[in-house]
Amino acid sequence: MALKRKAVAKASTGLFKRSKGKTSAKTIEQEAEQHMGICQVESQEEPEQQQEEPEVQEDEISDEEKVKQQEKELAAARKKELKGMGAADLKELLASKGLEIGNKADMIERLLAHEAEARAVRREHDAKMREVVVRKKEELEAMSAPDLKDLCSSKGITGVLAKAVRIEKLLLLWQQDDGVNKGLAQMALEKRQAELAAKDKAALLKLCDKVGVEAFVKEVMVERLLRHELEAGVFARPAAERQNEEEVPVVAKKGDLVAALLASEANRKKEMELKEQQEEVAANKRKELKSMSVEELKKALSKRKLDPIGKKDDMVEALFQLGIQEEQLASREAELKAMGKEELKRLVRSKAIEATGGLEVMVQAVLIHEAKARDELKAYAARVEAVLAKKREELEARTAAELKDMCVNKGLKAGVGKEDRVERLLEEAKKDGEVDKVLFDLSHSSRREELLAMDHVLLRKLCNKAGVDALVKEVMVERLLSHEAEQELAAADSMEPLAKKARCRK
C-alpha cells in the first residue's frame, strides 16, 4: 500500500504539474490515460507489493540520500561555474537577488546557500502539491458510486462511465478550477489554525493586542460578569447585619433547676427595668421635641441635612427617630472599641471588609459596612413596596370571583370581601418569594443594560478586578485568522499594480 500511495502521488503530480503552463487539453487527456494505466497496474500488483514493504522503505531512504547527493553535485558544479564568473558579474547577480556583496569567496558561498534554500522551498512546495492532489483523489475514491455519479452530473459529466474514469474527469475539472492552489491555501490555513489553537489564552491575548485584534466579545464579558455577581449574591435579598450573637440559654442540670429559674427571673426583671427606663427616656425626648417651636424644629432638621417637611408632629417624629439612630450608632461604636484588636480583626474578616490599619480604622470600616447594609435594606424594602403597589392595582382590577379562585389555587382562605382577598394574596406574594423573583428580574435586567452600555475597555477592567475569565479561545483564533487573511489580501492588492507595471515595461 505504501508503494501504491507513492506511485499515486507521483502520477498525480505528473497529471497536474503543468497547471499554470500552456499544456493543451489533448496532452492532459493523454497524461490522464497514462495515470489510469498506472492505477490499474497498481491494483493488480497489490499483493506482490505488500510483500515488498521493507524494500519500499529502503527505496525511500535511498531517495533521501539521492536528493542529498544531487544537492552536493549541484553545489559543486555551481561553485565551479561561479568561480569562473567575473567579480563584476557576480556582484550584479547577488545584487539582483538582494544579497550582501563582499569578497568573491564569501559571495559564492552566500549565493550557493541562497540557491540551496530556494530549491528546498521548491521541493517542499512540490511535496505539498502532491499531498493536495492525493488527498483530493482519495476523497473522490472514498465516495460511493451513486454519490460519485450525482457529483459528475452536477459537473456536466454524463454517460455510463467506470468509477475510475469519473474520478479522472472530476480531478481534471478540479485542477482547471484552480483546485491545487485552493488546496494549498486550505492546507496552510489548517496548519496556522493548529498553531494558534496550541497556544494558551494568555499568549493569544498578547498576540491579539500586538496586532490590534479585539480579543473580547462584549456579550460574553457581560454574561460572565452577571454570572459572577449572581454567585456573589449581588441580586439576592439583602440580609440584616447581625451585630451581637444571641445568647444561647444554658440548660440547667437536674439539681440546679431551681437556681436556673431564679436566675432567669432575675434577668427578666432586669430587662423589664431597662425597657421601662428606655421608654421613660423616649417619652422625655418626645416631650422635649414637642416643646420646640416649628422654626427650631426646621433648623434642627436642616442641621442634620434633612428636609424640614410636613406638620410639626411629622418633624418631631423625624428628629426622634434620628436621635434613636444616633444613640444606636454611638453605642455600637463604643461596643466595637471595647473589643480586643484580635477579636475585631476576626469580625472584619468574617464580614469580608477590606481594612488595614489600627483599631480606629477597623471600627470605622465596620460602621460604614453596617450603615451600607442598612441602606440596602431600606432601598430593598422601598422596592418591595413599589412591587406590591403595582400588584395591588393588578389584583384590584380583577373581579371578586377571580380573586376567590386565585386564593383557592394558592391554598388560601377565600374570605368574604374583595379587599380581604387582595390583602391575603399580597401577603402570600411576599411569603412565597413572588415579590423577590420580580425584584431579581428587574435588578438583573437593569444591570445587564448597564453593562451593555459600557465600552470594551471598562468591561475588561471590571472582569480583571472581579477575576472573571471572559476570553473565548475559539473566538481569538478565528479573529486572528481573519485578520491575517485580510492582511494577505491587502498585500496582494498592493502588489497587483506593480506587477501590471512590470508587464507593461516588458
Side-chain angles (χ1 to χ4, degrees):
M1 289 301 291
L3 181 58
K4 177 180 177 182
R5 185 179 183 88
K6 183 178 174 185
V8 169
K10 290 181 178 179
S12 302
T13 305
L15 178 61
F16 298 109
K17 191 174 181 181
R18 304 183 186 90
S19 59
K20 295 185 179 179
K22 300 180 180 179
T23 308
S24 64
K26 185 175 181 181
T27 304
I28 294 174
E29 291 288 345
Q30 290 172 353
E31 292 182 354
E33 290 174 3
Q34 292 174 3
H35 177 61
M36 283 297 297
I38 292 170
C39 293
Q40 290 171 2
V41 170
E42 287 165 358
S43 62
Q44 292 172 2
E45 297 179 355
E46 186 173 352
E48 296 179 5
Q49 291 163 352
Q50 287 178 351
Q51 296 175 1
E52 297 175 0
E53 286 284 347
E55 295 179 9
V56 171
Q57 293 175 0
E58 291 175 5
D59 290 341
E60 288 176 354
I61 295 171
S62 64
D63 285 345
E64 292 177 5
E65 293 296 329
K66 188 177 179 181
V67 170
K68 290 181 181 179
Q69 185 62 32
Q70 287 176 348
E71 278 294 313
K72 189 176 180 180
E73 292 172 358
L74 278 172
R78 181 60 169 159
K79 187 174 185 179
K80 185 176 180 181
E81 179 186 352
L82 293 173
K83 283 182 176 180
M85 291 179 65
D89 294 337
L90 193 58
K91 287 180 180 180
E92 185 179 352
L93 180 58
L94 264 74
S96 67
K97 295 181 180 295
L99 299 176
E100 185 182 352
I101 296 171
N103 60 58
K104 189 171 183 178
D106 291 341
M107 287 192 293
I108 290 173
E109 292 300 325
R110 202 170 291 127
L111 185 59
L112 288 173
H114 174 77
E115 291 177 348
E117 183 180 355
R119 287 192 298 273
V121 170
R122 189 159 55 249
R123 282 195 301 272
E124 184 181 357
H125 180 72
D126 292 343
K128 287 180 180 178
M129 286 184 65
R130 284 195 296 272
E131 185 179 349
V132 167
V133 174
V134 170
R135 185 188 294 183
K136 183 63 178 178
K137 184 175 182 297
E138 290 176 347
E139 177 189 330
L140 294 173
E141 287 175 339
M143 294 177 67
S144 64
D147 291 341
L148 203 58
K149 183 179 179 182
D150 293 340
L151 181 59
C152 286
S153 299
S154 67
K155 300 289 185 181
I157 301 172
T158 57
V160 181
L161 303 171
K163 184 175 181 178
V165 177
R166 291 186 187 280
I167 291 173
E168 286 298 326
K169 290 184 177 294
L170 287 169
L171 281 171
L172 286 171
L173 288 177
W174 172 76
Q175 182 264 339
Q176 291 168 8
D177 191 34
D178 202 22
V180 175
N181 288 329
K182 290 178 181 177
L184 289 171
Q186 181 62 29
M187 187 183 293
L189 177 64
E190 290 171 359
K191 182 181 177 183
R192 180 57 176 162
Q193 187 172 13
E195 290 174 359
L196 292 174
K199 297 179 182 291
D200 58 21
K201 287 184 177 180
L204 288 171
L205 177 60
K206 187 176 180 180
L207 184 57
C208 286
D209 290 341
K210 182 180 179 181
V211 299
V213 170
E214 179 54 62
F216 293 87
V217 180
K218 190 173 191 178
E219 289 73 14
V220 173
M221 288 192 285
V222 168
E223 290 304 320
R224 293 189 179 179
L225 278 170
L226 285 172
R227 185 172 62 191
H228 171 77
E229 292 175 352
L230 176 63
E231 292 171 354
V234 173
F235 305 109
R237 172 196 281 269
E241 285 287 317
R242 294 180 62 185
Q243 295 181 0
N244 296 311
E245 296 293 333
E246 294 182 1
E247 292 184 3
V248 180
V250 180
V251 179
K253 296 180 181 179
K254 247 183 178 180
D256 299 335
L257 181 58
V258 175
L261 288 172
L262 291 174
S264 176
E265 180 63 19
N267 288 333
R268 190 179 70 82
K269 285 182 178 180
K270 285 181 182 179
E271 289 175 0
M272 289 178 63
E273 290 174 0
L274 181 61
K275 186 177 180 182
E276 288 175 359
Q277 290 175 3
Q278 290 174 345
E279 288 177 352
E280 185 179 352
V281 171
N284 291 334
K285 185 66 177 176
R286 284 182 187 276
K287 187 177 179 181
E288 179 186 343
L289 291 172
K290 285 182 178 180
S291 66
M292 295 172 65
S293 66
V294 174
E295 290 300 322
E296 288 174 334
L297 290 171
K298 287 182 177 180
K299 286 180 181 179
L301 287 169
S302 299
K303 187 177 179 180
R304 289 170 171 79
K305 298 180 180 180
L306 294 175
D307 293 331
I309 55 176
K311 297 179 180 179
K312 182 176 180 179
D313 290 342
D314 297 329
M315 289 188 283
V316 168
E317 186 62 27
L319 282 171
F320 178 75
Q321 294 297 331
L322 183 61
I324 291 175
Q325 291 175 10
E326 290 173 348
E327 288 176 3
Q328 290 175 345
L329 183 61
S331 175
R332 178 60 173 164
E333 185 174 359
E335 180 186 349
L336 292 172
K337 287 181 177 179
M339 290 182 178
K341 192 171 183 180
E342 292 302 318
E343 186 180 355
L344 194 55
K345 282 183 179 179
R346 286 196 295 271
L347 179 64
V348 168
R349 286 196 296 268
S350 68
K351 294 178 180 290
I353 300 172
E354 294 182 5
T356 54
L359 185 70
E360 186 64 30
V361 173
M362 289 190 286
V363 167
Q364 292 304 316
V366 171
L367 291 174
I368 292 170
H369 174 80
E370 292 176 350
K372 183 181 178 182
R374 288 193 296 271
D375 291 341
E376 288 175 354
L377 276 172
K378 288 180 183 178
Y380 192 85
R383 293 198 296 272
V384 168
E385 292 303 320
V387 171
L388 289 174
K390 186 176 180 181
K391 182 74 175 174
R392 181 185 292 277
E393 291 178 3
E394 294 174 0
L395 293 174
E396 288 177 346
R398 294 179 178 272
T399 63
E402 289 174 334
L403 292 172
K404 181 180 179 181
D405 291 339
M406 291 176 69
C407 288
V408 172
N409 291 336
K410 289 182 176 290
L412 304 173
K413 292 181 179 179
V416 293
K418 184 175 179 180
E419 184 61 30
D420 187 29
R421 292 168 185 167
V422 168
E423 292 299 330
R424 290 182 180 181
L425 288 169
L426 289 175
E427 189 64 29
E428 182 64 18
K430 286 195 292 185
K431 289 180 181 178
D432 66 5
E434 180 183 346
V435 174
D436 291 332
K437 178 66 168 60
V438 171
L439 288 174
F440 169 82
D441 292 340
L442 288 172
S443 58
H444 193 268
S445 176
S446 175
R447 179 59 172 166
R448 185 193 299 277
E449 291 177 3
E450 180 186 355
L451 292 173
L452 285 171
M454 297 179 183
D455 58 21
H456 277 70
V457 176
L458 183 54
L459 284 172
R460 191 166 169 178
K461 287 181 180 178
L462 287 176
C463 288
N464 290 337
K465 184 178 179 181
V468 172
D469 180 11
L471 291 169
V472 181
K473 191 172 184 178
E474 292 76 12
V475 171
M476 289 191 285
V477 170
E478 188 66 30
R479 288 184 173 180
L480 282 169
L481 289 173
S482 298
H483 171 78
E484 290 171 358
E486 290 172 3
Q487 294 296 106
E488 289 176 6
L489 185 61
D493 290 342
S494 64
M495 291 298 293
E496 188 175 352
L498 297 176
K500 287 182 179 179
K501 190 174 181 181
R503 287 196 296 270
C504 291
R505 285 178 179 175
K506 290 179 181 179

